[in-house]
Amino acid sequence: MVKRIVSFFAVHKWMTATVVVLITAIFVLLLTVFRHKPEPPQLPVVETENVITEDVNIYGEYVGRIRAQQLVEVRARVEGYLESMMFEEGTYIRKGQPLFIIDPTIYRANMMKAKANLNKAKAAEEKAKRDLERIRPLYEQNAASRLDLDNAVAAYETAKADVVVGEAELALARQTLSYTTVTSPISGYISERSADIGTLVGPGGKSLLATVVNSDTVRVDFSMTSLEYLKSRSRNVNLGQRDESRTWDPYVTITMADGSVYPYRGLVDFADPKVDPKTGTFSVRAEMKNPDHALLPGEFTRVKLLLDVREDAIAVPSKAIEVEKGGAYVYVVRPDSIVERRFVETGPELDNTIVVERGLEAGESIITEGCHKVKNGMKVAPVSGNNKVNISSDEK
């Protein structure tokens, strides 16, 4: 009996061990199967942006030159030795302010001579008038001949003419004398003098004395190509002309030498109606305020001109555009995440965006990052550009 019991427990122990071994083997087998089960393929992650419409400003950049609104050369109008200078060089002067004195001796003498001649003519006129007044009654009484009367009338008329000539000569002499005091024709800043004291100036000598610059408002001159003119005409933009139907005007901004943008804008007020055949360009001018005189006449600067405003246009990042022999295209992500290669017609390029004339509609989604990982008809995992994620270099 004892042997049977012992034999039973031995058999039972062997069966238990066998079951444990079998269970362990099955677990290891299942673990191996699940570990080597193929994973589903991972979709390429791409960054997308929704296409929107907005007003796009089209600019052109040119090299411009600053020119003063008024730049007047002060010249000697009469000949003589320069006696004195009555201003400080480089300062602001007013219109009519005396600047130079030219030796007036000769011109003052000429005025005095003209005044004396005028007085002489007036005296002759008075005598001729009295003679005529005496002859006329005598002629009416037949006490004087017709010839006597005609001579008296002629003498009086001649005397009156001499007075007019004398007055004109006096006015001319007085005006010439006034030219010996050289005044400023405009208000502005005056340059360094061009003639030293004691120099013979005037028509027979050095006539340029100084230059006065009024730069409270400056003009910016630059050139545009005839092709740009044709493009502006195609958009009904006439440079230099007011257009009440437009909600905007062609304005310019300029960049200073230190790279900063000048705070005031200028409006284009003139465009040359002809093209220079040597350069194929035409001149354009804008007027700009210069209250602080930060812009100096003669300096060169960079000019940025608003050429056009595309209303409700579609502009996409330049990196979203792919170019090949067949044309330019973008990758559009459909609502089912399938990629569609779409050929588009591109327009002007500005900053880092390109205007798309045809091929895209507002609301569509395009790929802006990861274009090299996709092809037409592929399914992708789009990530909105508004919620950007870090795409590793391996994914890229």
Side-chain angles (χ1 to χ4, degrees):
M1 183 68 181
V2 173
K3 290 181 178 180
R4 288 181 179 178
I5 293 172
V6 170
S7 176
F8 173 79
F9 279 107
V11 171
H12 182 72
K13 184 178 181 181
W14 176 81
M15 290 179 64
T16 302
T18 302
V19 170
V20 171
V21 171
L22 288 173
I23 292 174
T24 302
I26 292 171
F27 178 77
V28 171
L29 180 62
L30 291 174
L31 185 62
T32 303
V33 169
F34 279 107
R35 179 178 294 176
H36 293 283
K37 183 178 179 181
E39 296 181 358
Q42 186 176 2
L43 299 178
V45 178
V46 295
E47 185 178 301
T48 62
E49 285 187 14
N50 288 332
V51 176
I52 60 174
T53 59
E54 58 184 342
D55 292 347
V56 177
N57 295 341
I58 309 298
Y59 295 95
E61 294 193 1
Y62 313 92
V63 176
R65 187 174 184 180
I66 305 300
R67 179 164 55 94
Q69 183 184 32
Q70 288 180 295
L71 190 150
V72 179
E73 294 180 338
V74 179
R75 293 183 177 272
R77 303 178 67 175
V78 293
E79 186 174 292
Y81 290 99
L82 200 61
E83 283 194 344
S84 61
M85 182 180 74
M86 307 172 67
F87 65 94
E88 291 185 12
E89 296 166 315
T91 59
Y92 187 84
I93 59 175
R94 300 288 180 182
K95 181 179 180 180
Q97 178 178 332
L99 303 177
F100 298 95
I101 299 295
I102 300 172
D103 183 10
T105 305
I106 297 177
Y107 303 101
R108 187 177 293 115
N110 288 338
M111 186 190 71
M112 294 174 63
K113 180 181 177 181
K115 186 180 293 185
N117 289 335
L118 176 60
N119 291 335
K120 182 179 178 180
K122 286 183 177 180
E125 179 191 19
E126 288 297 325
K127 180 181 181 303
K129 182 179 180 182
R130 289 194 297 269
D131 290 343
L132 178 59
E133 289 176 349
R134 284 194 300 267
I135 293 295
R136 196 182 298 277
L138 295 174
Y139 171 74
E140 292 175 354
Q141 298 173 8
N142 294 323
S145 66
R146 179 69 185 182
L147 178 61
D148 293 335
L149 178 62
D150 291 342
N151 289 338
V153 171
Y156 177 62
E157 295 296 331
T158 301
K160 285 201 303 182
D162 289 340
V163 170
V164 174
V165 171
E167 290 174 344
E169 289 178 347
L170 178 60
L172 179 60
R174 186 177 286 120
Q175 185 67 35
T176 304
L177 177 62
S178 70
Y179 292 155
T180 59
T181 301
V182 182
T183 60
S184 176
I186 62 172
S187 297
Y189 286 89
I190 192 165
S191 69
E192 181 184 12
R193 70 175 185 268
S194 301
D196 293 328
I197 304 303
T199 304
L200 178 64
V201 297
K206 189 171 185 178
S207 63
L208 180 61
L209 303 179
T211 302
V212 181
V213 178
N214 179 3
S215 57
D216 293 338
T217 299
V218 296
R219 287 174 176 152
V220 185
D221 297 323
F222 56 97
S223 297
M224 296 178 61
T225 64
S226 54
L227 177 60
E228 289 171 316
Y229 173 77
L230 293 175
K231 287 182 178 179
S232 65
R233 290 285 296 174
S234 66
R235 294 286 298 171
N236 295 322
V237 178
N238 294 320
L239 295 173
Q241 299 182 18
R242 296 283 182 177
D243 189 347
E244 300 297 334
S245 64
R246 267 199 322 253
T247 58
W248 59 276
D249 287 311
Y251 67 83
V252 300
T253 57
I254 61 176
T255 303
M256 308 289 286
D258 60 357
S260 62
V261 178
Y262 189 63
Y264 296 96
R265 291 178 175 180
L267 288 179
V268 174
D269 62 351
F270 170 76
D272 201 325
K274 64 181 183 302
V275 173
D276 186 345
K278 296 180 180 179
T279 61
T281 61
F282 65 99
S283 300
V284 183
R285 184 187 71 197
E287 195 169 274
M288 183 171 292
K289 293 180 180 179
N290 189 31
D292 301 325
H293 300 97
L295 302 177
L296 299 178
E299 71 174 323
F300 289 92
T301 184
R302 284 184 293 165
V303 179
K304 189 175 182 181
L305 168 64
L306 178 62
L307 291 171
D308 192 10
V309 176
R310 300 288 182 91
E311 299 178 351
D312 296 328
I314 292 176
V316 300
S318 303
K319 58 186 178 181
I321 303 287
E322 301 287 333
V323 181
E324 61 177 26
K325 292 182 179 180
Y329 62 88
V330 296
Y331 286 110
V332 178
V333 180
R334 301 191 318 221
D336 57 1
S337 298
I338 299 297
V339 173
E340 175 188 342
R341 187 170 71 167
R342 182 87 56 80
F343 282 91
V344 294
E345 180 181 335
T346 59
E349 182 175 359
L350 52 150
D351 296 332
N352 294 319
T353 60
I354 298 178
V355 175
V356 176
E357 305 283 6
R358 294 181 183 82
L360 283 179
E361 298 292 337
E364 292 186 306
S365 181
I366 61 172
I367 296 177
T368 56
E369 291 283 356
C371 294
H372 62 284
K373 300 183 296 183
V374 302
K375 60 182 180 179
N376 190 48
M378 177 185 291
K379 192 167 186 177
V380 295
V383 176
S384 174
N386 296 329
N387 301 309
K388 293 183 179 180
V389 296
N390 239 342
I391 301 177
S392 68
S393 57
D394 293 338
E395 289 179 322
K396 289 184 178 180

